[in-house]
Amino acid sequence: MLASSAVLRRQHFLIRSLGTHNNQNHTQRIRYIQTVTMVAEADAENILRRITPILDPNRHKGQAGKVAVVGGCREYTGAPYFAAISALKLGADLSHVFCTKDAAAVIKSYSPELIVHPVLEESYSVRDDEKRAVSTKVLAEVARWMERFDCLVVGPGLGRDPFLLDCVGEIMKLARRSNVPIVIDGDGLFLVTNSIDLVSGYHLAVLTPNVNEYKRLVQKMLGSEVNDQDASQQLLALARSIGGVTILRKGKSDMISDGYSVHTVSIFGSPRRCGGQGDILSGSVALFLSWALQSSTAPGDSTTSLSNPMVLGCIAASALLRKAASVAFENKKRATLTSDIIEHLGQSLDDICPAC
Amino acid sequence: MLASSAVLRRQHFLIRSLGTHNNQNHTQRIRYIQTVTMVAEADAENILRRITPILDPNRHKGQAGKVAVVGGCREYTGAPYFAAISALKLGADLSHVFCTKDAAAVIKSYSPELIVHPVLEESYSVRDDEKRAVSTKVLAEVARWMERFDCLVVGPGLGRDPFLLDCVGEIMKLARRSNVPIVIDGDGLFLVTNSIDLVSGYHLAVLTPNVNEYKRLVQKMLGSEVNDQDASQQLLALARSIGGVTILRKGKSDMISDGYSVHTVSIFGSPRRCGGQGDILSGSVALFLSWALQSSTAPGDSTTSLSNPMVLGCIAASALLRKAASVAFENKKRATLTSDIIEHLGQSLDDICPAC
């Protein structure tokens, strides 16, 4: 019952978002200038407390979150694992990975906790005359699971094989038709930058670009270079140009915008820049935005960004990753790796929202 | 010698169960209403003490339990691993897994402690004209091990491939002919719900359905919906409709019935509902019911449910999983995963039955 009410909430959020987007140009313009907010530690903690569900013994498996990561190919296996296990370590009940056959055995071997589906195919393993049939089969295998997911993460370790990216584009269309939120990172952003219609106008989409991915998005959508003097205005313009998706621009400070306002998260953090931290972030955004959607009940909530579940999910994930990274760095210093940060996710969240 | 006396005990239990079932209709009807029992912590601990064998240096490998899990396919590898390793961590001497070739390498990689047989096949890897021969070969490979097992767990990570399920049905018939107890969970329950004859009337079978699996069983066998107002009576009726199998209905409270009485376990527990806890339970039920069968000596013991080794195994496993989960949750809170719970199985049992 809770699962279906989560589906309903996603639909209501989409309807409200579209109404807001079409009818409030004047109000938007005012907010456009006014609402550039630095998120204080206390604010981030309040958001985490607001969206994190109570652990109720009456709930059953799945109700605390079911996340799926689309990623993992012949070259990359760590990234989808980091994204999927991060969601579990923060409290999700089930975490799936959809990847290629080559990647599946390895990702499975990292952890028996993940459900790994070896369904994607790369060009080298498919003849040209088989491609249409293989693509249909891949989509059918993902389709039978889609309705069960609270959020999809597209991109960690996806690679850039054209055939695989075509299939993933179709998976994104399927998610969108099913009103399943999508977090897009890594090579998913490469795909989306070249096919912006996949996310344009979809208020349940979150993009999490790093410096290079952001640069390509700005060039493509705004036809300009990144302007750090007027970073907030440019981010707002970018989010609006893609029709109300939420963007989390990763950097020394993370900047988050849904096209209405900008929130900057600079708290905590670690100076280590080891690979994989973006994958923790994408898995965490997926879980937190699912929780934010579940906890969003008041009608009209989405008329300000701080009641937009996508924005709340981004702020929560940004703040929590920074907190876990700072604790891991205190312990491991230069030797800190992504796995060390993941081991501190649970305690970092529990410090803010005690489980009992 | 002990192994063969365990086989004899299973035969005696079956003979006694059948006698009880056929000749005590009146007595049963009285018990049918009277014996709905809440299992207190002290009762569960007494059962655990009663069935857990003493660690005697004179015993040899295998006498503390040999369990086999039938499960693990292209999609699922974590579930059979969790079930098999749980039995070992509780004190079994040997734990086998029978799975597909795809799954075998991954499951082996989780732990060198398991004996993993890559013998099952899914439809995609077998041509239609080969199926009969492959099925015969699979059965022959399992058959040469069957007599050695104290219990079979069928279902964790089995998947729903029709050809694979057909083979597993044959494996269950073989186990039944050999009087090997069978614990059925997950996709094994999907198989059994559609082919109830596989377990009907088999007193050495235990079914461990979750909320959805229970619903399908009730619909199939009783032609009605789940009735939570009269849950005990419905569970009794369900167990009786399948001819005296034991059912452990998982939930906030676990309810256990062999068709004569109902025992409810609500002690301890954790509010985390991460996937995989059901697999710990199935592996634990398998080991504890084997121990309960080994320790059941008094003739006529099985005329009350609390001397039915299947029921004792279920109560013991339910209580112990809940205890281990509560300890794991105290340490890891929301970050608690199934592997964390498994790490506390041994200590949780030792707190109740010190090994020395």
Side-chain angles (χ1 to χ4, degrees):
Chain A
M1 207 177 86
L2 262 169
S4 62
S5 63
V7 172
L8 281 176
R9 271 195 210 99
R10 296 203 299 251
Q11 284 170 342
H12 289 155
F13 170 70
L14 274 179
I15 293 162
R16 288 200 307 267
S17 302
L18 290 168
T20 310
H21 202 65
N22 293 332
N23 306 325
Q24 300 189 340
N25 280 336
H26 177 65
T27 326
Q28 280 164 19
R29 204 164 299 124
I30 294 168
R31 271 202 233 101
Y32 190 93
I33 297 161
Q34 289 179 333
T35 56
V36 179
T37 315
M38 188 74 79
V39 180
E41 185 176 336
D43 298 330
E45 292 184 353
N46 279 338
I47 288 170
L48 279 158
R49 280 191 274 270
R50 187 168 134 203
I51 65 174
T52 301
I54 291 165
L55 279 171
D56 177 352
N58 289 315
R59 302 183 93 190
H60 58 74
K61 184 171 75 178
Q63 290 185 320
K66 302 179 293 297
V67 167
V69 177
V70 180
C73 61
R74 193 168 54 158
E75 259 175 330
Y76 305 113
T77 51
Y81 162 75
F82 288 141
I85 201 77
S86 296
L88 278 184
K89 293 271 185 177
L90 284 169
D93 283 345
L94 292 164
S95 204
H96 294 244
V97 176
F98 292 86
C99 61
T100 67
K101 285 169 192 161
D102 289 326
V106 178
I107 299 172
K108 284 168 187 279
S109 77
Y110 292 148
S111 167
E113 318 279 353
L114 303 177
I115 301 168
V116 182
H117 307 263
V119 298
L120 300 181
E121 298 272 5
E122 290 180 85
S123 300
Y124 73 87
S125 62
V126 184
R127 288 200 321 266
D128 280 352
D129 62 335
E130 293 174 332
K131 283 185 174 166
R132 181 183 290 265
V134 170
S135 176
T136 304
K137 191 172 159 235
V138 168
L139 205 66
E141 295 218 41
V142 181
R144 67 192 181 92
W145 291 93
M146 187 62 78
E147 289 281 350
R148 309 187 201 187
F149 297 135
D150 296 307
C151 189
L152 215 62
V153 182
V154 173
L158 198 56
R160 294 195 179 180
D161 179 79
F163 175 68
L164 184 144
L165 289 183
D166 279 350
C167 288
V168 172
E170 294 303 314
I171 293 170
M172 290 178 70
K173 290 179 193 168
L174 177 69
R176 193 169 171 170
R177 284 197 298 276
S178 311
N179 290 333
V180 172
I182 315 175
V183 177
I184 301 139
D185 191 41
D187 291 321
L189 288 167
F190 173 79
L191 168 64
V192 158
T193 305
N194 294 327
S195 310
I196 203 72
D197 285 350
L198 289 171
V199 290
S200 191
Y202 188 44
H203 291 253
L204 292 172
V206 175
L207 279 51
T208 56
N210 64 16
V211 59
N212 288 322
E213 292 152 354
Y214 188 72
K215 185 180 168 188
R216 282 195 293 268
L217 268 173
V218 167
Q219 286 170 339
K220 175 74 185 281
M221 296 306 298
L222 304 180
S224 62
E225 293 303 314
V226 171
N227 173 1
D228 277 329
Q229 267 62 55
D230 208 4
S232 299
Q233 292 298 319
Q234 191 172 49
L235 179 59
L236 275 168
L238 181 63
R240 295 173 72 81
S241 75
I242 316 177
V245 302
T246 296
I247 300 174
L248 192 170
R249 180 190 175 185
K250 296 180 283 197
K252 185 183 169 197
S253 297
D254 293 334
M255 296 176 69
I256 296 149
S257 180
D258 60 353
Y260 296 101
S261 56
V262 176
H263 302 274
T264 303
V265 181
S266 308
I267 49 177
F268 309 115
S270 141
R272 276 289 275 146
R273 295 287 176 267
C274 51
Q277 294 182 61
D279 306 309
I280 302 180
L281 186 75
S282 63
S284 309
V285 169
L287 182 66
F288 285 135
L289 76 77
S290 309
W291 285 355
L293 271 162
Q294 277 193 13
S295 66
S296 119
T297 45
D301 251 10
S302 67
T303 52
T304 67
S305 290
L306 266 187
S307 49
N308 178 346
M310 305 298 113
V311 172
L312 294 177
C314 288
I315 295 173
S318 168
L320 200 83
L321 168 58
R322 285 162 173 268
K323 185 170 159 63
S326 72
V327 180
F329 185 74
E330 265 176 44
N331 291 322
K332 296 280 188 106
K333 303 291 191 303
R334 282 179 202 280
T336 308
L337 297 184
T338 295
S339 302
D340 301 311
I341 300 172
I342 289 171
E343 282 313 301
H344 288 283
L345 289 173
Q347 187 60 55
S348 299
L349 180 57
D350 205 67
D351 288 345
I352 299 165
C353 319
C356 56
Chain B
M1 207 178 84
L2 261 170
S4 62
S5 63
V7 171
L8 281 176
R9 270 196 212 98
R10 296 203 300 251
Q11 284 171 343
H12 288 156
F13 170 70
L14 272 180
I15 292 162
R16 288 200 307 267
S17 302
L18 290 168
T20 309
H21 201 66
N22 293 332
N23 305 327
Q24 300 189 339
N25 281 336
H26 177 65
T27 326
Q28 280 164 18
R29 203 163 300 124
I30 294 168
R31 271 203 233 102
Y32 190 91
I33 297 162
Q34 289 180 333
T35 56
V36 178
T37 315
M38 188 74 80
V39 180
E41 184 176 335
D43 299 330
E45 292 184 353
N46 280 337
I47 289 171
L48 279 159
R49 281 188 208 101
R50 187 168 135 202
I51 66 174
T52 301
I54 290 165
L55 279 173
D56 178 350
N58 290 316
R59 301 183 93 191
H60 57 75
K61 184 172 76 177
Q63 289 185 321
K66 302 178 294 298
V67 167
V69 177
V70 180
C73 61
R74 191 170 56 153
E75 260 176 331
Y76 303 113
T77 51
Y81 162 74
F82 288 142
I85 201 77
S86 296
L88 278 185
K89 293 269 186 179
L90 284 169
D93 283 343
L94 293 164
S95 204
H96 294 245
V97 176
F98 291 86
C99 60
T100 68
K101 285 170 192 161
D102 289 325
V106 176
I107 298 172
K108 285 168 188 278
S109 79
Y110 293 146
S111 168
E113 319 280 352
L114 304 177
I115 301 165
V116 183
H117 308 259
V119 298
L120 301 180
E121 299 272 3
E122 291 181 85
S123 300
Y124 73 88
S125 63
V126 184
R127 289 201 320 267
D128 280 351
D129 61 337
E130 295 172 332
K131 282 185 175 165
R132 181 183 291 265
V134 170
S135 177
T136 305
K137 191 174 158 232
V138 169
L139 206 65
E141 295 217 42
V142 181
R144 64 194 182 89
W145 291 92
M146 188 62 79
E147 289 282 350
R148 311 186 200 188
F149 297 135
D150 296 305
C151 188
L152 214 61
V153 182
V154 173
L158 198 57
R160 294 195 177 179
D161 179 78
F163 175 67
L164 184 143
L165 289 183
D166 280 349
C167 289
V168 172
E170 294 304 315
I171 293 171
M172 290 176 70
K173 289 178 193 167
L174 177 68
R176 194 170 170 169
R177 284 197 300 275
S178 310
N179 290 333
V180 172
I182 315 175
V183 178
I184 300 139
D185 190 42
D187 291 321
L189 287 167
F190 173 79
L191 168 64
V192 158
T193 304
N194 294 328
S195 308
I196 204 71
D197 285 350
L198 289 171
V199 290
S200 192
Y202 189 43
H203 292 253
L204 292 173
V206 174
L207 279 51
T208 55
N210 65 16
V211 58
N212 288 321
E213 292 151 358
Y214 188 73
K215 185 179 168 189
R216 283 195 291 269
L217 269 172
V218 167
Q219 286 170 340
K220 175 73 185 284
M221 296 305 298
L222 304 181
S224 62
E225 293 304 313
V226 172
N227 173 2
D228 278 327
Q229 267 62 56
D230 210 1
S232 300
Q233 292 297 321
Q234 191 171 50
L235 178 61
L236 276 167
L238 181 64
R240 295 172 72 81
S241 74
I242 315 177
V245 302
T246 296
I247 300 174
L248 192 170
R249 180 191 176 185
K250 297 181 282 198
K252 186 185 169 194
S253 298
D254 293 334
M255 296 176 70
I256 296 147
S257 180
D258 59 354
Y260 295 101
S261 57
V262 176
H263 301 274
T264 303
V265 181
S266 308
I267 47 176
F268 310 115
S270 141
R272 273 290 272 148
R273 295 288 177 264
C274 50
Q277 295 183 61
D279 307 310
I280 302 180
L281 187 76
S282 63
S284 309
V285 169
L287 182 66
F288 285 135
L289 75 77
S290 310
W291 286 353
L293 272 162
Q294 278 192 14
S295 66
S296 121
T297 46
D301 251 8
S302 68
T303 51
T304 67
S305 289
L306 266 187
S307 52
N308 177 345
M310 306 297 115
V311 172
L312 293 177
C314 288
I315 294 174
S318 168
L320 200 83
L321 169 57
R322 285 163 174 267
K323 185 169 159 65
S326 73
V327 180
F329 185 75
E330 266 176 44
N331 291 322
K332 294 281 189 104
K333 304 289 191 309
R334 284 180 200 278
T336 309
L337 297 185
T338 296
S339 303
D340 301 312
I341 300 172
I342 289 172
E343 283 314 303
H344 288 283
L345 289 174
Q347 187 61 55
S348 298
L349 181 57
D350 205 66
D351 287 347
I352 298 165
C353 319
C356 52

